[in-house]
């Protein structure tokens, strides 16, 4: 029986420095920022469809305006943070006190890794749903 091997492009690579490690994590928030920007644009453009002489449409417009502004701000801030992370690739390694490592460090990273898996699962479902909606809008197939 042959051993299955992870393709080199998918193998986990231990970063050489903490700066390289933080830079390695920049791509995901950068894409999330684009996703949030697209959400803000979609909400803003939806407002143009509303007939504002209807009370319910006016309320929807208010809510969508508020949400679009919030998501645009969040997208901008996430993109800025992702960019700052990516810039740290060559940050020199600073001195570390390894004896300061504790359970709270492990719990924080476990929280991060668990949330990544949960976000991935949610995104798979949402992407499939939204691909179908997009296909119905364009007359294509998902």
């Amino acid at each position: 029986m042959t051993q299955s091997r992870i393709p080199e492009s998918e193998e986990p690579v231990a970063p050489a420095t903490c700066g390289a490690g933080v830079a390695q994590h920049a791509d995901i928030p950068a894409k999330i920022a684009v996703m949030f920007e697209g959400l803000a644009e979609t909400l803003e453009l939806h407002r143009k469809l509303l007939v504002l002489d209807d009370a319910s449409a006016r309320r929807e417009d208010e809510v969508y305006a508020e949400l679009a502004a919030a998501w645009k701000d969040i997208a901008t801030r996430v993109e800025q943070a992702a960019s700052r992370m990516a810039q740290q690739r060559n940050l020199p390694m600073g001195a570390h006190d390894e004896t300061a490592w504790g359970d709270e460090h492990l719990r924080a990273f476990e929280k991060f890794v668990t949330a990544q898996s949960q976000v991935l699962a949610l995104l798979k479902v949402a992407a499939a749903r939204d691909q179908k909606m997009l296909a119905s809008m364009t007359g294509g197939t998902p």
Side-chain angles (χ1 to χ4, degrees):
M1 182 171 168
T2 60
Q3 254 186 337
S4 66
R5 184 159 156 28
I6 299 172
E8 270 189 54
S9 62
E10 296 178 24
E11 280 187 31
V13 177
T17 65
C18 294
V22 79
Q24 184 178 28
H25 285 87
D27 290 345
I28 293 171
K31 289 295 182 195
I32 289 172
V34 174
M35 183 179 71
F36 290 164
E37 183 180 348
L39 175 57
E41 289 174 17
T42 300
L43 292 168
E44 193 62 42
L45 289 169
H46 180 84
R47 295 178 60 214
K48 293 181 178 186
L49 303 173
L50 298 171
V51 179
L52 296 179
D53 60 353
D54 173 70
S56 294
R58 283 192 303 276
R59 178 65 184 134
E60 184 176 337
D61 182 61
E62 291 170 11
V63 170
Y64 274 47
E66 178 186 321
L67 290 170
W71 284 114
K72 185 174 182 175
D73 180 56
I74 291 166
T76 298
R77 294 180 64 172
V78 170
E79 191 283 323
Q80 289 169 345
S83 178
R84 183 75 172 133
M85 290 171 73
Q87 294 167 9
Q88 304 317 305
R89 191 161 317 280
N90 297 317
L91 181 70
M93 180 69 102
H96 288 64
D97 177 4
E98 297 298 328
T99 64
W101 173 263
D103 287 342
E104 68 273 13
H105 296 92
L106 179 61
R107 283 192 303 274
F109 191 61
E110 284 175 337
K111 180 180 181 179
F112 173 72
V113 172
T114 298
Q116 277 185 322
S117 296
Q118 292 168 341
V119 166
L120 178 60
L122 290 170
L123 282 173
K124 284 181 178 181
V125 171
R129 177 195 63 225
D130 293 343
Q131 285 290 341
K132 287 179 184 176
M133 186 184 304
L134 183 59
S136 74
M137 293 174 179
T138 61
T141 57

